[in-house]
C-alpha cells in the first residue's frame, strides 16, 4: 500500500500500459482517474477492475490534443477524487510508414497527441501540486528516442522531445517538491504494436537481449 490515500491521473488508461499501471497503482492503494479516446467498453472494464481492488475510479473520453478538454478532465478528476498526487502521461499513437510518405496532417497528429497533450495535461495539474509542495509526474518516452527506428520518424522525434520536456520541467518542479521523470520502454505487447508486420516484429525481437516483447505489467 505504498500509494494509500493518493490519487493518480492516467492518460490512455483503458488498455495497454495505461491500464496495467492503473491496476498496479490501485493495488498499492491509489484512487484512479483515467481518460481514453472513445474506448468506453474497455474503460468500463478497467474501472470495474479498479473498484474490485477496493479503490475509487472514474474515466472520461478525452482527446488530449484538445487542451480545454484536458483541463476539464483534470478539474473533474480532482473534484471527484481529490487533489492529483500522481500524473502518468501515457496517451499515445503511431503511424508507421516511410519518412517520405508522411503527410503534414499525420505529422501534426502524432506530435500533438504525444507532446502537446502531455505538456498541457501536466500544466493542468502542476499548480495544485506546487501549492501542496508535493507530486509526481511520469512521462512515457521510448527507447526509440535514444536508438532511432525505421518507419517511425515523427514518433521517434516526438519521444526525444518528451525526454527534453521532462528534463526541463524537472529543473523547475523539483525545488517545488514535484518530481518529474520519464520512462523509455522498449517494444511492449499492446494494441500499438499488435499491427506490426510479422517480419518487422520478428526483427525487433531478434535484436532484444530478452528475446521477446515486454508486457504492460512489467512497465507498470
Amino acid at each position: 500500500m505504498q500509494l494509500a490515500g493518493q490519487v493518480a491521473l492516467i492518460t490512455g488508461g483503458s488498455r495497454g500500459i495505461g491500464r496495467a499501471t492503473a491496476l498496479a497503482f490501485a493495488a498499492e492503494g491509489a484512487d484512479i482517474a483515467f481518460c481514453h479516446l472513445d474506448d468506453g467498453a474497455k474503460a468500463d472494464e478497467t474501472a470495474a477492475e479498479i473498484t474490485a481492488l477496493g479503490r475509487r475510479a472514474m474515466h472520461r473520453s478525452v482527446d488530449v490534443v484538445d487542451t480545454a478538454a484536458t483541463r476539464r478532465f483534470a478539474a473533474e478528476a480532482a473534484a471527484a477524487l481529490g487533489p492529483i498526487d500522481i500524473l502518468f502521461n501515457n496517451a499515445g499513437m503511431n503511424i508507421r510508414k516511410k519518412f517520405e510518405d508522411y503527410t503534414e496532417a499525420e505529422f501534426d497528429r502524432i506530435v500533438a497527441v504525444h507532446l502537446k497533450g502531455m505538456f498541457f495535461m501536466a500544466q493542468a495539474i502542476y499548480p495544485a501540486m506546487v501549492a501542496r509542495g508535493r507530486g509526481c509526474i511520469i512521462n512515457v518516452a521510448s527507447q526509440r528516442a535514444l536508438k532511432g527506428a525505421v518507419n517511425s520518424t515523427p514518433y521517434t522525434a516526438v519521444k526525444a522531445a518528451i525526454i527534453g520536456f521532462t528534463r526541463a520541467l524537472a529543473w523547475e518542479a523539483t525545488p517545488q517538491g514535484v518530481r518529474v521523470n520519464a520512462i523509455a520502454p522498449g517494444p511492449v505487447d499492446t494494441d500499438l504494436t499488435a499491427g506490426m508486420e510479422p517480419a518487422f516484429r520478428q526483427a525487433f525481437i531478434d535484436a532484444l537481449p530478452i528475446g521477446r516483447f515486454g508486457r504492460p505489467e512489467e512497465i507498470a
Side-chain angles (χ1 to χ4, degrees):
M1 301 298 288
Q2 296 180 76
L3 305 179
Q6 298 192 44
V7 176
L9 188 154
I10 297 171
T11 66
S14 60
R15 59 181 67 216
I17 293 172
R19 171 187 169 275
T21 301
L23 296 178
F25 285 3
E28 289 292 342
D31 295 321
I32 308 294
F34 67 92
C35 64
H36 54 89
L37 186 59
D38 300 327
D39 196 24
K42 190 66 178 176
D44 286 341
E45 291 179 17
T46 300
E49 292 178 280
I50 292 167
T51 56
L53 291 167
R55 308 314 309 165
R56 295 179 295 165
M58 67 161 288
H59 66 83
R60 298 284 186 273
S61 178
V62 177
D63 186 345
V64 295
V65 170
D66 183 342
T67 302
T70 64
R71 288 173 177 157
R72 283 195 302 271
F73 174 62
E76 287 179 17
L81 301 179
I84 307 302
D85 300 288
I86 304 162
L87 171 63
F88 184 52
N89 258 326
N90 168 71
M93 51 87 68
N94 196 9
I95 301 169
R96 296 181 181 85
K97 55 174 61 178
K98 293 180 180 179
F99 164 69
E100 62 268 29
D101 293 336
Y102 282 100
T103 67
E104 184 176 0
E106 290 168 339
F107 175 90
D108 287 346
R109 180 66 182 172
I110 293 169
V111 172
V113 167
H114 288 274
L115 187 59
K116 180 182 177 183
M118 180 175 291
F119 185 101
F120 286 104
M121 184 59 84
Q123 194 180 72
I125 60 89
Y126 179 70
M129 286 184 172
V130 170
R132 298 195 316 279
R134 61 183 300 273
C136 175
I137 297 172
I138 306 163
N139 300 321
V140 178
S142 170
Q143 51 89 28
R144 291 187 176 195
L146 307 173
K147 296 168 62 178
V150 298
N151 297 329
S152 196
T153 47
Y155 179 92
T156 300
V158 80
K159 288 298 190 181
I162 287 169
I163 293 175
F165 164 63
T166 301
R167 287 174 167 155
L169 182 55
W171 278 103
E172 293 188 41
T174 303
Q176 308 297 324
V178 180
R179 294 179 295 112
V180 186
N181 291 282
I183 59 173
V188 178
D189 271 321
T190 66
D191 289 349
L192 200 63
T193 58
M196 295 175 69
E197 295 179 5
F200 188 52
R201 181 186 180 91
Q202 190 58 50
F204 260 101
I205 291 172
D206 291 343
L208 297 171
I210 199 170
R212 62 169 175 82
F213 276 19
R215 295 187 296 272
E217 296 74 19
E218 293 174 309
I219 307 304

